[in-house]
Amino acid sequence: MSRFLGEIRQLGYVVHDVEAAMHHWSRVLGVGPWFYNPKVPIVNYTYDGEPYQPHNSVALANSGFVQVELIQPRNDVPSMYRDFLRAGRTGLQHVAYWTSSFDEDLARLQAQGFRVKMGGEVGERGRFVYFDGEFHPGAVIELSEVQGPKGRMFDMIREASRGWDGRDPVRPFPDLTTL
């Protein structure tokens, strides 16, 4: 286990075509089912401290304990995803550590010199931040709060992957207000 923030819980891939990526991951690699949201409801989003309204399509699935996230930016709002694609890259863009002690972990990392580049919230108690800098290719660090509805959704996605038989490979994101 990492001494940094525990286990890496998510691998985030930035892609040009999320639908094609879900097809590849499910049909070729056997990962699924995918829970897809064509427009993730991100609130309080900032990039370099400035507020924006991103439109990102996201698909989530688990391969064992690790969650795979596929991200396709759909507008030109400043983001680390857009920067990644503009640099001519696709593929692994970040690793995420999950926490139920978001404020404490964020303060500890900032005290160590980590600077927040972008962040926001998905649902109640679903804050996230990405730290400035890529310390190794594909290794931008995300700190993701996984309590409340977002945490319950992540548990549901992991459970759905256990024993998945390949049927119904793409499913809608659950409504976070009902979880």
Side-chain angles (χ1 to χ4, degrees):
M1 177 184 327
S2 166
R3 294 182 312 241
F4 182 65
L5 282 170
E7 298 168 328
I8 292 173
R9 295 296 309 273
Q10 182 190 78
L11 303 174
Y13 292 81
V14 176
V15 299
H16 288 289
D17 184 337
V18 68
E19 289 87 1
M22 285 187 290
H23 180 80
H24 175 79
W25 279 83
S26 63
R27 302 288 184 223
V28 176
L29 302 176
V31 174
W34 291 93
F35 290 84
Y36 177 57
N37 192 329
K39 187 173 184 182
V40 177
I42 300 172
V43 298
N44 300 320
Y45 173 82
T46 61
Y47 177 88
D48 280 338
E50 296 294 322
Y52 296 97
Q53 295 292 319
H55 177 179
N56 299 321
S57 295
V58 168
L60 300 171
N62 270 62
S63 179
F65 192 66
V66 175
Q67 186 181 84
V68 177
E69 179 180 33
L70 304 173
I71 307 151
Q72 180 181 349
R74 300 281 189 169
N75 64 7
D76 201 36
V77 162
S79 74
M80 294 178 84
Y81 314 136
R82 182 195 70 173
D83 298 347
F84 189 75
L85 291 173
R86 282 188 175 175
R89 301 167 69 191
T90 59
L92 183 63
Q93 184 268 340
H94 72 267
V95 297
Y97 293 89
W98 293 356
T99 182
S100 58
S101 304
F102 187 85
D103 294 319
E104 294 84 3
D105 288 337
L106 177 58
R108 181 168 56 85
L109 291 173
Q110 289 177 313
Q112 293 175 15
F114 287 85
R115 187 179 78 80
V116 172
K117 180 76 171 175
M118 89 179 183
E121 298 175 54
V122 177
E124 175 190 343
R125 300 181 81 186
R127 296 172 290 176
F128 64 89
V129 294
Y130 287 71
F131 295 100
D132 196 12
E134 186 172 357
F135 305 102
H136 186 271
V140 167
I141 297 166
E142 178 190 7
L143 179 65
S144 184
E145 182 177 43
V146 289
Q147 295 193 60
K150 182 177 162 188
R152 289 189 290 277
M153 178 180 69
F154 285 4
D155 289 342
M156 183 267 309
I157 290 169
R158 185 175 54 253
E159 280 301 313
S161 74
R162 292 185 182 164
W164 179 61
D165 61 5
R167 287 183 289 174
D168 197 13
V170 178
R171 303 170 186 187
F173 244 49
D175 181 351
L176 290 174
T177 63
T178 63
L179 287 177

